[in-house]
Amino acid sequence: MDKEDFEKEIKSMQPELTDDDCKDFVISEETSKIHDAMVVWQFLYPNHKDEEELKKVCKLAGFDYKNALKYKDYCLKELSEND
């Protein structure tokens, strides 16, 4: 089997999701907020300096500063456990 045949075989094994399929994937509002906070803290971790830096990252990413603070302890705990 050459590379082209191999790639075709692999592609045929990957299911394709349609928009209709994706409607079944729902996350809660809180999970979405935690995800946004984790993105911010992952960017800053482990060298977070000050609140101005946090505000700047939140603004640039379009994430809510208050949510980033609300989930700070959770996010930093998760990040430190995965070091």
Side-chain angles (χ1 to χ4, degrees):
M1 182 181 292
D2 65 12
K3 182 180 178 185
E4 187 176 303
D5 290 334
F6 181 73
E7 288 174 353
K8 285 180 184 177
E9 181 69 23
I10 294 296
K11 186 169 180 141
S12 72
M13 294 176 2
Q14 296 174 345
E16 293 186 26
L17 295 176
T18 65
D19 288 342
D20 192 48
D21 295 327
C22 293
K23 72 177 177 24
D24 296 332
F25 299 114
V26 179
I27 61 170
S28 70
E29 186 176 337
E30 183 175 20
T31 299
S32 180
K33 289 177 181 180
I34 292 170
H35 175 267
D36 291 351
M38 185 63 81
V39 170
V40 170
W41 289 110
Q42 191 169 22
F43 181 78
L44 295 171
Y45 182 81
N47 300 315
H48 172 59
K49 297 174 186 166
D50 57 34
E51 296 309 302
E52 289 306 312
E53 178 186 47
L54 173 61
K55 288 178 183 177
K56 182 178 178 181
V57 170
C58 288
K59 183 175 182 179
L60 288 171
F63 296 143
D64 186 84
Y65 169 75
K66 290 180 182 179
N67 283 330
L69 284 179
K70 178 179 179 180
Y71 297 108
K72 177 181 179 179
D73 292 339
Y74 171 80
C75 293
L76 294 179
K77 180 178 181 256
E78 289 294 315
L79 289 167
S80 69
E81 289 176 358
N82 291 315
D83 270 346

